[in-house]
Amino acid sequence: MRRTALKILLCSAVALGLPKGHAAPATPRITEITPILIGNSPVTLHPKGFPAVTVTPFWRENGNAWGYHLYAVTTPDAEQPDQADLVDTQDATPNGPLTDMLSDSPHTGEDAIQTVHFATARVNGQPGLLLFITTRDMGGHPVPQPSPAHVRIYQLTREDGEPGTTAFTFRPLSTIASPVTTCHADIALSAATKIPFATWNGPHEPVPTCPQ
């Protein structure tokens, strides 16, 4: 698997949804990004410093072009190992709600509006498990037409047991505006991370051809 060094430079109070007047955290240095392919079956990962993490994908059929995947991320319960505990994702806005399950929006597959990916990487030199959610900013654009997009990056984090939180969460790390306008969220992700479309999606997944 190809590893790509990347330094995330776009990290601001606006991008991370910080309150006005609050200083943004130091820009994280993200290197050695290695995408993890999630197909149609559960995948168990072993990130350093964490219990085993299992990503389980589901398909929600909708009878039209608006079906979507759901992803449940779980760890074994510390006291009941036969029980799986959810790993929630924290909203990028302050005091935002926790999300129990992740979802994408592939539309026809040729013009995905939102995609969900996982990757190992180093954050400021330390190993980490990251979540990448890429969203096209549709505005008034028809779905098949190219549009701007942004990538939100989250890092798996151990929580301190505060009531209402899960033992582990994906916390917002950075947001990148993709340098391209495109008809597919993963083309935007590839342009933002400089990692090929096929590395995120597998070698047999063709790159969509956007209308001109």
Side-chain angles (χ1 to χ4, degrees):
M1 181 84 57
R2 178 175 179 242
R3 293 191 173 190
T4 300
L6 167 69
K7 183 174 182 180
I8 303 298
L9 297 176
L10 298 179
C11 176
S12 68
V14 173
L16 289 177
L18 296 174
K20 186 176 180 180
H22 284 228
T27 302
R29 185 172 182 269
I30 305 175
T31 59
E32 298 182 21
I33 298 173
T34 304
I36 299 166
L37 296 180
I38 306 294
N40 296 319
S41 302
V43 174
T44 297
L45 311 170
H46 300 276
K48 185 177 180 179
F50 293 90
V53 174
T54 299
V55 180
T56 304
F58 302 91
W59 175 250
R60 203 288 194 183
E61 180 56 56
N62 208 35
N64 54 28
W66 294 101
Y68 53 91
H69 295 94
L70 289 167
Y71 299 89
V73 184
T74 58
T75 59
D77 185 88
E79 298 181 357
Q80 303 180 65
D82 60 339
Q83 174 178 297
D85 291 348
L86 282 169
V87 175
D88 276 8
T89 300
Q90 294 196 346
D91 194 275
T93 58
N95 302 315
L98 294 172
T99 300
D100 290 337
M101 298 184 76
L102 302 163
S103 63
D104 64 9
S105 183
H107 198 237
T108 66
E110 295 292 314
D111 50 10
I113 298 170
Q114 179 165 289
T115 59
V116 174
H117 290 282
F118 298 86
T120 59
R122 287 191 174 273
V123 179
N124 298 326
Q126 299 300 312
L129 178 62
L130 303 186
L131 163 66
F132 290 74
I133 299 180
T134 306
T135 307
R136 291 170 57 203
D137 305 313
M138 299 305 300
H141 301 276
V143 174
Q145 295 298 318
S147 60
H150 65 274
V151 183
R152 290 196 185 276
I153 307 173
Y154 302 78
Q155 182 175 12
L156 181 65
T157 304
R158 186 184 301 270
E159 296 299 331
D160 58 9
E162 182 180 350
T165 63
T166 52
F168 306 93
T169 64
F170 281 102
R171 283 180 173 254
L173 184 64
S174 185
T175 298
I176 321 170
S178 179
V180 300
T181 57
T182 178
C183 66
H184 197 291
D186 277 347
I187 295 177
L189 175 63
S190 296
T193 60
K194 298 180 174 60
I195 297 175
F197 184 95
T199 305
W200 287 108
N201 291 280
H204 304 298
E205 190 70 25
V207 180
T209 301
C210 294
Q212 302 298 317

